[in-house]
Amino acid sequence: NYKFDQKSYIDSDSSKIWKRIEKVTIISSKYNHDGEYENFSLNAASSSLFAREIQNARTNNASPAHMYKLCNEIAASSENITIEHIKGADLQKKGFGLIHSVARGSKNEAYLVLMNYHGN
């Protein structure tokens, strides 16, 4: 039962919008009871819910700087994630002129964030 709560997103503490799913029911003929499916399913469902919260946020609340902060928090949560970013005039210098030009119409500085997962 998903419900977007704009008030929860406005708060700058991302832990308040990260709603951990606590229970998943798995129906499968290949279920092996070792917890692997449960962990994967819980993480996938929680991540999907978090992404939905972010995509529904208003741009005045989810500014590029705020989104960059969220990306850093996610990257800090795992040793398997690295993060790189380009912002402002550096976008133009590195060949991302379109992103830079579109952002010139905003009061917020543009960010391009690249997150890499180096896992199994």
Side-chain angles (χ1 to χ4, degrees):
N1 296 337
Y2 175 74
K3 178 184 173 195
F4 178 67
D5 182 6
Q6 184 66 39
K7 292 179 184 174
S8 70
Y9 193 84
I10 293 171
D11 195 330
S12 62
D13 182 4
S14 64
S15 66
K16 292 183 181 178
I17 62 167
W18 182 264
K19 296 174 181 157
R20 181 81 180 152
I21 294 176
E22 297 177 11
K23 181 180 178 184
V24 172
T25 302
I26 300 171
I27 301 171
S28 171
S29 62
K30 298 179 182 179
Y31 185 68
N32 62 9
H33 299 286
D34 67 0
E36 180 181 351
Y37 291 130
E38 289 95 337
N39 289 334
F40 176 81
S41 298
L42 287 171
N43 287 332
S46 294
S47 297
S48 177
L49 183 59
F50 184 64
R52 190 180 294 179
E53 288 285 323
I54 292 170
Q55 80 182 20
N56 286 335
R58 294 183 184 130
T59 55
N60 60 332
N61 295 329
S63 68
H66 179 73
M67 298 302 292
Y68 176 62
K69 178 184 171 203
L70 283 177
C71 291
N72 273 317
E73 290 174 10
I74 293 168
S77 71
S78 172
E79 61 187 33
N80 294 335
I81 300 173
T82 58
I83 187 168
E84 303 171 48
H85 78 282
I86 306 169
K87 67 177 188 172
D90 288 339
L91 287 164
Q92 181 82 26
K93 293 175 191 172
K94 295 198 178 198
F96 297 100
L98 182 58
I99 295 172
H100 181 261
S101 295
V102 169
R104 289 177 54 197
S106 172
K107 68 177 184 175
N108 298 308
E109 186 173 38
Y111 283 73
L112 177 67
V113 179
L114 175 64
M115 295 178 73
N116 292 298
Y117 177 72
H118 309 280
N120 46 4

